[in-house]
């Protein structure tokens, strides 16, 4: 039986049009019935994907949202699970964890800007996960760059073939291709309408000026034909040019996801892989979000279902807990809107309300014999000490840092010597989010100051070697929130020096969650 699930992420740099494209996908899928809901402000913003206070203030996405919609395709009802990732490179860890839960991704590029420096880090993360990519070059209704140049940039950055699927498209009002000519004809025939969905085939026999035909032939000859196997193997990306704002190319994009994007794929579990056909319900927690509803101080764990048919009320055992829990109120999401899920299938994303029993990296299964892998912590690139302005709030600060560390907003380290906690992040924006959320959600007034350390490494090795190392380096040691020993290094040279001096120890830049 062919799966009707398509679980995919949207990735892009800020301002490429990701929010608009998300909205139009939901609009086409019937999940919303009015443009503007995703990015509306105030009370009208109930259906938004950017819900956090700092996201509203800055107009950026810093968390990953989940949205589900359905659409008829060739006689079948396809369920689309859309995961909207952070658009900023400082949150590449959150993007990485989100990509563990999807089977494909849409990469959005601004036609006018092309590949920006900050874009590369996000897309390199995508390639690390070997996720098949569909490229959508957005904003072609505005003044843009040469489409061929953009295509070549995509190929160079991702080190894979590109295959134009909706090509060429007019750039900045200059009609350069076959589809543009037809669109122009539709606008004339329909009395000025700029909609073209479903109408271009009716104009297939239209007289096409010679220069349009030449450019079309050039595009066809210059790039490889689409190959489904190459795409699903991560060796080729189909490229669609369009405009989310003008609804140009959105329907084709949905069709491409339904037709080409892979159904739920097997997930790594140590030396083996668990596929959708596995005989028990299993899944893993890739994200935890606290305080989505500040009025209720809720905590939701997001589970990617890997196998089996889940039914509401089932008992599943979290690997981090060791004893079964009954999942009575599983949630399906549309941004902040929620509904109880009676059943779920492989590829679905369900939310499980809990009070701290579920953590990122946990496997949930019926028999507690599976451990999914591939959700690491990465060594932080910025370390700061946390200074509490009100000493009576020490307990609240500890709770907040543990919660936010669990979500992946920060990493937290507790030094063996000295009282101030140290937070580690990939980028500066994470620190801004930390301070904002400490005040808004936990009522904790704190400040950050410079730390003497530049990075951290998790220590592993024989107990005797660890004891010897601890004896001479206590001032440079800390424990993470799991109680694991961490070497706090002042520089990359410091790491290298200690590795040479302590060959029995492993200084790891990653830690499996």
């Amino acid at each position: 039986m062919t799966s009707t699930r398509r679980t995919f992420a949207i990735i892009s740099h800020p301002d490429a049009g990701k929010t608009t494209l998300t909205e139009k996908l939901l609009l086409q899928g019937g999940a919303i019935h009015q443009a503007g809901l995703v990015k509306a402000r105030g009370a009208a913003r109930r259906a938004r994907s950017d819900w956090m206070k700092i996201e509203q203030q800055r107009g950026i996405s810093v968390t990953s949202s989940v949205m589900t919609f359905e659409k008829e395709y060739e006689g079948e009802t396809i369920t689309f699970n859309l995961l909207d990732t952070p658009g900023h490179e400082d949150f590449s860890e959150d993007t990485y964890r989100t990509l563990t839960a999807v089977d494909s991704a849409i990469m959005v590029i601004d036609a006018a800007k092309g590949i920006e420096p900050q874009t590369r880090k996000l897309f390199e993360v995508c390639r690390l996960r070997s996720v098949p990519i569909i490229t959508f070059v957005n904003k072609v209704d505005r003044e843009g760059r040469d489409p061929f140049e953009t295509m070549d940039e995509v190929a160079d950055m991702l080190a894979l073939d590109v295959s134009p699927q909706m090509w060429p498209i007019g750039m900045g009002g200059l009609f350069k291709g076959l589809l543009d000519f037809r669109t122009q004809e539709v606008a004339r025939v329909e009395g000025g309408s700029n909609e073209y969905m479903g109408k271009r085939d009716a104009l297939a026999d239209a007289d096409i000026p010679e220069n349009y035909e030449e450019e079309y032939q050039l595009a066809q000859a210059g790039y490889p034909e689409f190959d489904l196997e190459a795409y699903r193997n991560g060796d080729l990306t189909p490229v669609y040019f369009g405009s989310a704002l003008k609804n140009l190319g959105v329907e084709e994009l949905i069709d491409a996801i339904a037709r080409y994007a892979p159904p739920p794929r097997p997930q790594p579990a140590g030396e083996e892989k668990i596929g959708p056909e596995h005989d028990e319900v299993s899944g893993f927690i890739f994200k935890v979000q606290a305080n989505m509803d500040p009025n209720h101080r809720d905590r939701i764990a997001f589970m990617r279902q890997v196998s089996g048919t889940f039914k509401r009320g089932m008992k599943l055992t979290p690997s981090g807990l060791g004893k079964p829990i009954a999942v009575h109120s599983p949630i399906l999401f549309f941004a902040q809107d929620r509904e109880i899920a009676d059943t779920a299938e492989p590829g679905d994303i369900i939310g499980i309300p809990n009070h701290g029993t579920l953590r990122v990296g946990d496997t949930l299964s019926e028999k507690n014999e599976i451990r999914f892998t591939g959700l690491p912590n990465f060594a932080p690139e910025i370390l700061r000490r946390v200074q509490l302005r009100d000493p009576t709030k020490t307990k609240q600060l500890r709770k907040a840092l543990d919660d936010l560390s669990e979500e992946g907003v920060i990493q937290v380290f507790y030094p063996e010597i000295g009282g101030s906690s140290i937070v580690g992040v990939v980028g500066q924006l994470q620190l801004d989010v930390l301070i904002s959320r400490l005040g808004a959600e936990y009522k904790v007034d704190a400040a950050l100051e410079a730390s003497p350390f530049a990075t951290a490494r998790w220590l592993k090795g024989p107990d005797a070697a660890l004891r010897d190392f601890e004896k001479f380096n206590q001032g440079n040691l800390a424990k993470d929130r799991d109680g694991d020993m961490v070497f706090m290094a002042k520089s990359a040279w410091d790491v290298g020096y200690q590795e040479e001096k302590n060959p029995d120890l492993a200084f790891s830049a990653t830690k499996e969650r």
Side-chain angles (χ1 to χ4, degrees):
M1 178 179 167
T2 303
S3 173
T4 57
R5 264 51 179 185
R6 300 292 183 269
T7 303
F8 66 101
I10 298 183
I11 58 172
S12 78
H13 57 260
D15 300 323
K18 179 163 62 73
T19 300
T20 302
L21 179 60
T22 299
E23 175 183 88
K24 292 305 174 69
L25 289 170
L26 297 173
L27 193 64
Q28 290 285 340
I32 59 176
H33 305 287
Q34 178 183 345
L37 284 180
V38 172
K39 52 191 180 187
R41 297 290 173 178
R45 203 177 177 195
R46 292 183 300 108
R48 67 187 181 274
S49 58
D50 296 340
W51 55 271
M52 196 182 294
K53 183 177 179 181
I54 193 169
E55 294 180 306
Q56 297 175 41
Q57 291 172 340
R58 298 197 180 193
I60 56 173
S61 296
V62 298
T63 59
S64 299
S65 299
V66 179
M67 287 152 279
T68 297
F69 63 96
E70 295 181 340
K71 195 173 190 300
E72 290 292 323
Y73 182 77
E74 294 187 346
E76 282 190 303
T77 300
I78 303 293
T79 299
F80 296 87
N81 297 307
L82 186 162
L83 279 66
D84 181 24
T85 63
H88 200 285
E89 61 178 339
D90 285 2
F91 292 87
S92 53
E93 274 196 61
D94 197 23
T95 297
Y96 185 93
R97 283 189 289 271
T98 299
L99 290 172
T100 66
V102 303
D103 303 301
S104 62
I106 295 175
M107 178 173 69
V108 184
I109 296 174
D110 187 327
K113 298 177 181 177
I115 307 297
E116 298 187 76
Q118 62 179 325
T119 307
R120 294 181 181 274
K121 189 169 187 177
L122 290 173
F123 297 159
E124 285 166 5
V125 167
C126 198
R127 294 296 289 157
L128 280 174
R129 290 296 310 165
S130 299
V131 174
I133 297 169
I134 294 175
T135 300
F136 185 74
V137 182
N138 192 27
K139 303 184 182 181
V140 298
D141 53 318
R142 307 180 191 181
E143 188 63 38
R145 304 161 81 248
D146 187 311
F148 287 97
E149 185 178 344
T150 300
M151 297 270 282
D152 291 340
E153 280 188 345
V154 171
D156 290 343
M157 182 185 69
L158 295 177
L160 44 69
D161 289 334
V162 295
S163 176
Q165 297 300 293
M166 211 173 83
W167 172 277
I169 287 291
M171 307 291 285
L174 300 175
F175 290 100
K176 291 188 177 181
L178 187 65
L179 180 57
D180 291 306
F181 176 74
R182 292 176 180 168
T183 306
Q184 195 176 37
E185 285 294 291
V186 169
R188 183 182 63 77
V189 172
E190 299 293 324
S193 168
N194 65 357
E195 293 293 334
Y196 79 101
M197 303 301 181
K199 298 169 183 160
R200 55 182 185 157
D201 290 339
L203 293 170
D205 296 328
D207 292 328
I208 306 298
E210 187 175 341
N211 58 321
Y212 291 125
E213 190 67 36
E214 286 177 2
E215 190 144 345
Y216 175 74
Q217 295 296 337
L218 180 61
Q220 292 291 93
Y223 293 98
E225 291 185 6
F226 177 72
D227 183 305
L228 181 61
E229 184 176 353
Y231 156 66
R232 289 188 173 178
N233 287 339
D235 299 322
L236 175 146
T237 175
V239 179
Y240 290 77
F241 285 76
S243 168
L245 186 65
K246 297 290 180 65
N247 220 25
L248 180 67
V250 177
E251 184 73 20
E252 280 80 357
L253 197 56
I254 293 179
D255 287 349
I257 298 165
R259 181 187 297 270
Y260 304 133
R265 302 191 297 172
Q267 298 292 327
E271 297 299 318
E272 62 176 330
K273 288 192 173 185
I274 304 298
E277 70 286 346
H278 189 72
D279 62 358
E280 65 169 313
V281 172
S282 68
F284 60 90
I285 305 299
F286 68 95
K287 173 183 173 62
V288 172
Q289 186 69 64
N291 305 323
M292 289 181 74
D293 183 350
N295 295 326
H296 295 93
R297 307 289 293 177
D298 62 347
R299 189 175 189 275
I300 304 294
F302 292 73
M303 183 185 85
R304 157 67 191 243
Q305 187 168 331
V306 175
S307 63
T309 296
F310 171 85
K311 295 181 180 178
R312 181 183 175 190
M314 285 185 75
K315 287 189 175 182
L316 299 175
T317 301
S319 55
L321 190 63
K323 59 182 181 180
I325 60 172
V327 185
H328 291 299
S329 304
I331 299 167
L332 286 177
F333 296 94
F334 171 64
Q336 277 190 303
D337 291 345
R338 314 172 181 185
E339 63 180 47
I340 298 297
D342 290 322
T343 63
E345 299 292 336
D348 284 340
I349 308 295
I350 61 174
I352 304 175
N354 69 103
H355 297 287
T357 55
L358 298 179
R359 303 174 54 187
V360 172
D362 276 355
T363 295
L364 281 80
S365 60
E366 294 181 75
K367 301 175 184 176
N368 197 26
E369 297 173 351
I370 298 171
R371 295 292 183 274
F372 291 110
T373 54
L375 284 95
N377 276 335
F378 296 94
E381 298 177 13
I382 301 173
L383 292 164
R384 293 288 184 267
R385 289 188 188 276
V386 182
Q387 291 298 325
L388 192 58
R389 300 187 194 274
D390 181 355
T392 65
K393 294 288 187 76
T394 300
K395 189 177 292 185
Q396 290 94 320
L397 177 64
R398 179 70 180 245
K399 165 69 172 167
L401 293 180
D402 280 349
D403 282 355
L404 296 174
S405 174
E406 176 52 41
E407 288 182 33
V409 174
I410 59 168
Q411 293 184 55
V412 60
F413 305 100
Y414 300 104
E416 296 284 79
I417 298 177
S420 297
S421 305
I422 295 175
V423 297
V425 297
V426 173
Q428 175 63 38
L429 186 56
Q430 286 175 283
L431 297 176
D432 298 342
V433 170
L434 168 64
I435 294 300
S436 173
R437 293 189 64 184
L438 284 177
E441 298 171 26
Y442 297 92
K443 310 305 181 203
V444 171
D445 188 8
L448 301 174
E449 63 178 31
S451 161
F453 307 115
T455 189
R457 293 292 186 271
W458 285 273
L459 291 172
K460 290 184 179 179
D463 289 343
L466 286 170
R467 284 195 298 270
D468 287 344
F469 186 82
E470 187 173 6
K471 188 187 304 181
F472 295 103
N473 296 278
Q474 201 166 17
N476 292 73
L477 292 178
K479 296 284 179 64
D480 66 11
R481 71 180 303 273
D482 299 317
D484 292 332
M485 189 180 294
V486 182
F487 172 58
M488 310 299 287
K490 295 181 179 178
S491 65
W493 180 90
D494 199 11
V495 174
Y497 173 76
Q498 293 294 350
E499 284 178 325
E500 283 189 27
K501 194 176 177 182
N502 300 274
D504 293 336
L505 296 179
F507 294 74
S508 179
T510 62
K511 174 193 167 183
E512 188 74 23
R513 294 183 70 110

